[in-house]
Amino acid sequence: MIQKKFSEVDRRIFSFPAVHPCEAVSPATLLGSLIVLSQNIGNYQSKFFASQRRNSREAIRKIGILLVFFEEIHDRGLILPETAVLCFSELHLTFQKIRFLLEDCSREGARLWILMKSEMVVTQFRVLIRTVATALDILPLNSMDICGEVKELVELVAKQARKARIEIDPNDERAMRRVLSVLDRFEKGIEPEFQVLKWVLDYLEIKTWSDCNKEIKFLEEQCVESEDREVPFLSSLLGFMCYCRVRIFDTLDYQNADQTDVRCNMEVLSCLNPEDFRCPISLELMIDPVTVSTGQTYDRSSIQKWLKAGHTICPKTGEKLTNTELVPNTNLRKLIHQFCADNGLSLAKTGKKSRDITRTILPGSPAAAEAMKFLSRIVVRNLVFGTSEQKNKAAYEIRLLAKANIFNRSCLIEAGTIPPLLNLLYSFNKSIQENAIAALLKLSKHANGKKIVVENGGLRSIVAVLKRGISLEAKQIAAATIFYLSSVKGYRRLIGEIDETIPALVDLIKEGTPCGKKNGVVALFGLALYHGNRQRVIDAGTIPLLLHIIASSNKDELIVDSLALLATLVECLDGTLAILQASSFPLITRILQSTTSQAGKEHCVSIFLSCCNNGGDEAVAVLAKDTSVMSSLYSVTTDGTALASKKARSLVKMLHKFHETSSSGQGCQACTNEQSVHVW
């Protein structure tokens, strides 16, 4: 078969990457491919078309007739004249485009978008059907030995293709007008009528919450991928569908849409990938971080768009910018590049899908903004006054809506969703508790969300889920929420002072899945940034647990994060003593020599340096026994980051000094054989 197959993933909607048959293709191969292509188009007869039903049906019917013609030629083994080959080549190209168009029109999840793009779709059908007519005009039917009935059918198709009136279906037009009327009401701040929404969804046969969610996911993808001029309308339609999902459907028939966030927060919960690595505007890893006059850091492209739009305030703090100077944050840039190198990420790929700030901090359109405000009030009502099922659905809706959209988070927080969500944490229903804590996790990424959680006594409620949650997943999400809350300096102390917090996180590290262990480790890391919490973390028996993970885990990220927490804890004297008592220097040395992570190497060096500073000659003597450690330290001085290199040089200096003292005082042969290398 000549044509190249394109999957839904490979091809964007309304793109038709047809391949023209090469001039050297044999007539038999071309004919065979045309037959297969025509059969594929015929298979769309059984597909559902929410709109463009008549145009799709007519296109399929015409090509079905031509299939009879192609099969007649094939069965009779006719030799094709050169003009026929030229005609078939053009038909082959056009049929590919028709197949792509039919695929788009029947695409699940794109029903509303296809309806609202009816004029463009009709134009495509019109052009392609006219192209079929033009190709058939040069077909030498009279010189081809086919039966009269088939010849008449081909002539009929050619005539119909030339004269066909390809227009927007009146029912499609009526549905479009109703959608536009709803968007107009949203813009005016008027809530639309339930019956109008229901009529539109019934027309498109969007019958369930799941069907509606597929439409939303599709529109979200288009908002990211489309040109800027398309975004406002796409955002309006997205607001329309989100509002419908909340208001029309009472029952969740599908809950796997966000399960990756339930099972693991591996991407965002990492000591090596703090929120500082992500631009507050685009939510993506920063490619070129720059700092503005308020001291906040953004990706250059995102803040430039913000300033170009005429804004004079800092997007994150709301403070007025004293100037528009953008100062490169070179240290952060190095850390981000190192993080990407350690984790096999490409900054080019992360930047490619970076969202425009008006799609996150600001609403994509006035209609989208008002729709979000209306539905925020609905979910709050359901959280407070709804049945158990309505409360569960409302929590799940918040979880989805707040997942990656700053404006949505701010609307939901302003509407008052956090207090009732905190109340739901005490539910005995597993699903309600999981959805409530997951919704709070999303909202706690917003500065105002953190503040309201704490002001409403939410810390103890979240710790209660961490300690006594109905499911392990609820406990894991609670740990992730604590990690985000601990990003505020003042909250680290408050969280640590709750007696159950640190022991519960330690229990999660002991009993949890790899994801649960990771969430527990990074939550403790966040808390340990406050010096007053470090002794509590050590007293809870964390260090032996971390050493066990480092020795036995096959999860590189978990090992590196455990090293990061360990490096923080050994800054305390008791942390150093625990490391020395566990005789763990050989383990740390092995990791230093074997890990490919630059961050992991730096943590190992930090552990050694803190132990030597706190433990004195006794610790230095233990480290000096392993002669292989010196070469690893030299490697870090040359290949590590500036900070890692500095720490490694300090250790090398300590070890050299110890060897020199030991050699002169005791005549140690091993020490006299060690040559001193100047590293400063």
Side-chain angles (χ1 to χ4, degrees), residues 665-679:
Q666 301 176 21
C668 175
Q669 185 63 36
C671 294
T672 56
N673 290 337
E674 180 71 42
Q675 293 184 355
S676 178
V677 178
H678 185 68
V679 295

mmCIF file with all atom_site columns, all heavy atoms in Angstrom, residues 665-679:
data_model
loop_
_atom_site.group_PDB
_atom_site.id
_atom_site.type_symbol
_atom_site.label_atom_id
_atom_site.label_alt_id
_atom_site.label_comp_id
_atom_site.label_asym_id
_atom_site.label_entity_id
_atom_site.label_seq_id
_atom_site.pdbx_PDB_ins_code
_atom_site.Cartn_x
_atom_site.Cartn_y
_atom_site.Cartn_z
_atom_site.occupancy
_atom_site.B_iso_or_equiv
_atom_site.pdbx_formal_charge
_atom_site.auth_seq_id
_atom_site.auth_comp_id
_atom_site.auth_asym_id
_atom_site.auth_atom_id
_atom_site.pdbx_PDB_model_num
ATOM 1   N N   . GLY A 1 665 ? 53.697 11.815 62.761 1.00 0.00 ? 665 GLY A N   1
ATOM 2   C CA  . GLY A 1 665 ? 53.569 11.415 64.157 1.00 0.00 ? 665 GLY A CA  1
ATOM 3   C C   . GLY A 1 665 ? 53.732 9.928  64.375 1.00 0.00 ? 665 GLY A C   1
ATOM 4   O O   . GLY A 1 665 ? 54.205 9.492  65.415 1.00 0.00 ? 665 GLY A O   1
ATOM 5   N N   . GLN A 1 666 ? 53.330 9.114  63.384 1.00 0.00 ? 666 GLN A N   1
ATOM 6   C CA  . GLN A 1 666 ? 53.305 7.680  63.606 1.00 0.00 ? 666 GLN A CA  1
ATOM 7   C C   . GLN A 1 666 ? 54.112 6.907  62.580 1.00 0.00 ? 666 GLN A C   1
ATOM 8   O O   . GLN A 1 666 ? 54.256 5.689  62.694 1.00 0.00 ? 666 GLN A O   1
ATOM 9   C CB  . GLN A 1 666 ? 51.860 7.174  63.591 1.00 0.00 ? 666 GLN A CB  1
ATOM 10  C CG  . GLN A 1 666 ? 50.994 7.842  64.653 1.00 0.00 ? 666 GLN A CG  1
ATOM 11  C CD  . GLN A 1 666 ? 49.550 7.398  64.539 1.00 0.00 ? 666 GLN A CD  1
ATOM 12  O OE1 . GLN A 1 666 ? 49.274 6.364  63.959 1.00 0.00 ? 666 GLN A OE1 1
ATOM 13  N NE2 . GLN A 1 666 ? 48.648 8.171  65.094 1.00 0.00 ? 666 GLN A NE2 1
ATOM 14  N N   . GLY A 1 667 ? 54.616 7.626  61.573 1.00 0.00 ? 667 GLY A N   1
ATOM 15  C CA  . GLY A 1 667 ? 55.399 6.917  60.565 1.00 0.00 ? 667 GLY A CA  1
ATOM 16  C C   . GLY A 1 667 ? 54.574 5.946  59.763 1.00 0.00 ? 667 GLY A C   1
ATOM 17  O O   . GLY A 1 667 ? 55.052 4.881  59.386 1.00 0.00 ? 667 GLY A O   1
ATOM 18  N N   . CYS A 1 668 ? 53.365 6.302  59.528 1.00 0.00 ? 668 CYS A N   1
ATOM 19  C CA  . CYS A 1 668 ? 52.472 5.405  58.780 1.00 0.00 ? 668 CYS A CA  1
ATOM 20  C C   . CYS A 1 668 ? 52.938 5.278  57.341 1.00 0.00 ? 668 CYS A C   1
ATOM 21  O O   . CYS A 1 668 ? 52.993 6.258  56.615 1.00 0.00 ? 668 CYS A O   1
ATOM 22  C CB  . CYS A 1 668 ? 51.042 5.945  58.839 1.00 0.00 ? 668 CYS A CB  1
ATOM 23  S SG  . CYS A 1 668 ? 49.884 5.012  57.846 1.00 0.00 ? 668 CYS A SG  1
ATOM 24  N N   . GLN A 1 669 ? 53.257 4.066  56.941 1.00 0.00 ? 669 GLN A N   1
ATOM 25  C CA  . GLN A 1 669 ? 53.786 3.839  55.598 1.00 0.00 ? 669 GLN A CA  1
ATOM 26  C C   . GLN A 1 669 ? 52.765 4.200  54.530 1.00 0.00 ? 669 GLN A C   1
ATOM 27  O O   . GLN A 1 669 ? 53.095 4.777  53.506 1.00 0.00 ? 669 GLN A O   1
ATOM 28  C CB  . GLN A 1 669 ? 54.192 2.360  55.443 1.00 0.00 ? 669 GLN A CB  1
ATOM 29  C CG  . GLN A 1 669 ? 54.877 2.032  54.118 1.00 0.00 ? 669 GLN A CG  1
ATOM 30  C CD  . GLN A 1 669 ? 56.195 2.776  53.970 1.00 0.00 ? 669 GLN A CD  1
ATOM 31  O OE1 . GLN A 1 669 ? 56.921 2.969  54.944 1.00 0.00 ? 669 GLN A OE1 1
ATOM 32  N NE2 . GLN A 1 669 ? 56.499 3.236  52.778 1.00 0.00 ? 669 GLN A NE2 1
ATOM 33  N N   . ALA A 1 670 ? 51.519 3.878  54.833 1.00 0.00 ? 670 ALA A N   1
ATOM 34  C CA  . ALA A 1 670 ? 50.483 4.156  53.833 1.00 0.00 ? 670 ALA A CA  1
ATOM 35  C C   . ALA A 1 670 ? 50.356 5.639  53.595 1.00 0.00 ? 670 ALA A C   1
ATOM 36  O O   . ALA A 1 670 ? 50.145 6.098  52.469 1.00 0.00 ? 670 ALA A O   1
ATOM 37  C CB  . ALA A 1 670 ? 49.137 3.588  54.286 1.00 0.00 ? 670 ALA A CB  1
ATOM 38  N N   . CYS A 1 671 ? 50.539 6.400  54.688 1.00 0.00 ? 671 CYS A N   1
ATOM 39  C CA  . CYS A 1 671 ? 50.383 7.847  54.553 1.00 0.00 ? 671 CYS A CA  1
ATOM 40  C C   . CYS A 1 671 ? 51.566 8.471  53.844 1.00 0.00 ? 671 CYS A C   1
ATOM 41  O O   . CYS A 1 671 ? 51.419 9.420  53.087 1.00 0.00 ? 671 CYS A O   1
ATOM 42  C CB  . CYS A 1 671 ? 50.203 8.486  55.926 1.00 0.00 ? 671 CYS A CB  1
ATOM 43  S SG  . CYS A 1 671 ? 48.665 7.982  56.730 1.00 0.00 ? 671 CYS A SG  1
ATOM 44  N N   . THR A 1 672 ? 52.804 7.935  54.096 1.00 0.00 ? 672 THR A N   1
ATOM 45  C CA  . THR A 1 672 ? 53.975 8.516  53.444 1.00 0.00 ? 672 THR A CA  1
ATOM 46  C C   . THR A 1 672 ? 53.964 8.235  51.961 1.00 0.00 ? 672 THR A C   1
ATOM 47  O O   . THR A 1 672 ? 54.539 8.986  51.178 1.00 0.00 ? 672 THR A O   1
ATOM 48  C CB  . THR A 1 672 ? 55.270 7.949  54.056 1.00 0.00 ? 672 THR A CB  1
ATOM 49  O OG1 . THR A 1 672 ? 55.246 6.524  53.958 1.00 0.00 ? 672 THR A OG1 1
ATOM 50  C CG2 . THR A 1 672 ? 55.407 8.343  55.506 1.00 0.00 ? 672 THR A CG2 1
ATOM 51  N N   . ASN A 1 673 ? 53.283 7.155  51.558 1.00 0.00 ? 673 ASN A N   1
ATOM 52  C CA  . ASN A 1 673 ? 53.205 6.837  50.132 1.00 0.00 ? 673 ASN A CA  1
ATOM 53  C C   . ASN A 1 673 ? 52.183 7.707  49.411 1.00 0.00 ? 673 ASN A C   1
ATOM 54  O O   . ASN A 1 673 ? 52.160 7.773  48.185 1.00 0.00 ? 673 ASN A O   1
ATOM 55  C CB  . ASN A 1 673 ? 52.833 5.363  49.933 1.00 0.00 ? 673 ASN A CB  1
ATOM 56  C CG  . ASN A 1 673 ? 53.967 4.434  50.338 1.00 0.00 ? 673 ASN A CG  1
ATOM 57  O OD1 . ASN A 1 673 ? 55.132 4.860  50.355 1.00 0.00 ? 673 ASN A OD1 1
ATOM 58  N ND2 . ASN A 1 673 ? 53.643 3.188  50.663 1.00 0.00 ? 673 ASN A ND2 1
ATOM 59  N N   . GLU A 1 674 ? 51.307 8.344  50.184 1.00 0.00 ? 674 GLU A N   1
ATOM 60  C CA  . GLU A 1 674 ? 50.267 9.200  49.588 1.00 0.00 ? 674 GLU A CA  1
ATOM 61  C C   . GLU A 1 674 ? 50.880 10.524 49.179 1.00 0.00 ? 674 GLU A C   1
ATOM 62  O O   . GLU A 1 674 ? 51.448 11.233 49.996 1.00 0.00 ? 674 GLU A O   1
ATOM 63  C CB  . GLU A 1 674 ? 49.151 9.436  50.619 1.00 0.00 ? 674 GLU A CB  1
ATOM 64  C CG  . GLU A 1 674 ? 48.021 10.312 50.102 1.00 0.00 ? 674 GLU A CG  1
ATOM 65  C CD  . GLU A 1 674 ? 47.184 9.584  49.076 1.00 0.00 ? 674 GLU A CD  1
ATOM 66  O OE1 . GLU A 1 674 ? 46.893 8.399  49.270 1.00 0.00 ? 674 GLU A OE1 1
ATOM 67  O OE2 . GLU A 1 674 ? 46.821 10.231 48.076 1.00 0.00 ? 674 GLU A OE2 1
ATOM 68  N N   . GLN A 1 675 ? 50.818 10.853 47.911 1.00 0.00 ? 675 GLN A N   1
ATOM 69  C CA  . GLN A 1 675 ? 51.386 12.111 47.428 1.00 0.00 ? 675 GLN A CA  1
ATOM 70  C C   . GLN A 1 675 ? 50.367 13.228 47.568 1.00 0.00 ? 675 GLN A C   1
ATOM 71  O O   . GLN A 1 675 ? 49.203 13.063 47.232 1.00 0.00 ? 675 GLN A O   1
ATOM 72  C CB  . GLN A 1 675 ? 51.801 11.982 45.959 1.00 0.00 ? 675 GLN A CB  1
ATOM 73  C CG  . GLN A 1 675 ? 52.955 11.019 45.747 1.00 0.00 ? 675 GLN A CG  1
ATOM 74  C CD  . GLN A 1 675 ? 53.388 11.016 44.301 1.00 0.00 ? 675 GLN A CD  1
ATOM 75  O OE1 . GLN A 1 675 ? 52.771 11.665 43.476 1.00 0.00 ? 675 GLN A OE1 1
ATOM 76  N NE2 . GLN A 1 675 ? 54.459 10.301 44.021 1.00 0.00 ? 675 GLN A NE2 1
ATOM 77  N N   . SER A 1 676 ? 50.811 14.346 48.061 1.00 0.00 ? 676 SER A N   1
ATOM 78  C CA  . SER A 1 676 ? 49.926 15.490 48.228 1.00 0.00 ? 676 SER A CA  1
ATOM 79  C C   . SER A 1 676 ? 49.753 16.197 46.893 1.00 0.00 ? 676 SER A C   1
ATOM 80  O O   . SER A 1 676 ? 50.726 16.435 46.184 1.00 0.00 ? 676 SER A O   1
ATOM 81  C CB  . SER A 1 676 ? 50.505 16.451 49.257 1.00 0.00 ? 676 SER A CB  1
ATOM 82  O OG  . SER A 1 676 ? 49.679 17.572 49.396 1.00 0.00 ? 676 SER A OG  1
ATOM 83  N N   . VAL A 1 677 ? 48.511 16.498 46.566 1.00 0.00 ? 677 VAL A N   1
ATOM 84  C CA  . VAL A 1 677 ? 48.213 17.183 45.303 1.00 0.00 ? 677 VAL A CA  1
ATOM 85  C C   . VAL A 1 677 ? 47.596 18.536 45.618 1.00 0.00 ? 677 VAL A C   1
ATOM 86  O O   . VAL A 1 677 ? 46.634 18.621 46.385 1.00 0.00 ? 677 VAL A O   1
ATOM 87  C CB  . VAL A 1 677 ? 47.241 16.353 44.429 1.00 0.00 ? 677 VAL A CB  1
ATOM 88  C CG1 . VAL A 1 677 ? 46.924 17.108 43.148 1.00 0.00 ? 677 VAL A CG1 1
ATOM 89  C CG2 . VAL A 1 677 ? 47.844 14.993 44.116 1.00 0.00 ? 677 VAL A CG2 1
ATOM 90  N N   . HIS A 1 678 ? 48.130 19.575 45.066 1.00 0.00 ? 678 HIS A N   1
ATOM 91  C CA  . HIS A 1 678 ? 47.614 20.922 45.312 1.00 0.00 ? 678 HIS A CA  1
ATOM 92  C C   . HIS A 1 678 ? 46.320 21.124 44.516 1.00 0.00 ? 678 HIS A C   1
ATOM 93  O O   . HIS A 1 678 ? 46.305 20.969 43.300 1.00 0.00 ? 678 HIS A O   1
ATOM 94  C CB  . HIS A 1 678 ? 48.651 21.958 44.877 1.00 0.00 ? 678 HIS A CB  1
ATOM 95  C CG  . HIS A 1 678 ? 48.238 23.360 45.207 1.00 0.00 ? 678 HIS A CG  1
ATOM 96  N ND1 . HIS A 1 678 ? 48.146 23.824 46.513 1.00 0.00 ? 678 HIS A ND1 1
ATOM 97  C CD2 . HIS A 1 678 ? 47.884 24.398 44.403 1.00 0.00 ? 678 HIS A CD2 1
ATOM 98  C CE1 . HIS A 1 678 ? 47.764 25.084 46.502 1.00 0.00 ? 678 HIS A CE1 1
ATOM 99  N NE2 . HIS A 1 678 ? 47.592 25.455 45.235 1.00 0.00 ? 678 HIS A NE2 1
ATOM 100 N N   . VAL A 1 679 ? 45.228 21.420 45.210 1.00 0.00 ? 679 VAL A N   1
ATOM 101 C CA  . VAL A 1 679 ? 43.931 21.542 44.525 1.00 0.00 ? 679 VAL A CA  1
ATOM 102 C C   . VAL A 1 679 ? 43.359 22.938 44.614 1.00 0.00 ? 679 VAL A C   1
ATOM 103 O O   . VAL A 1 679 ? 42.231 23.167 44.212 1.00 0.00 ? 679 VAL A O   1
ATOM 104 C CB  . VAL A 1 679 ? 42.917 20.525 45.126 1.00 0.00 ? 679 VAL A CB  1
ATOM 105 C CG1 . VAL A 1 679 ? 43.369 19.131 44.852 1.00 0.00 ? 679 VAL A CG1 1
ATOM 106 C CG2 . VAL A 1 679 ? 42.732 20.759 46.629 1.00 0.00 ? 679 VAL A CG2 1
#
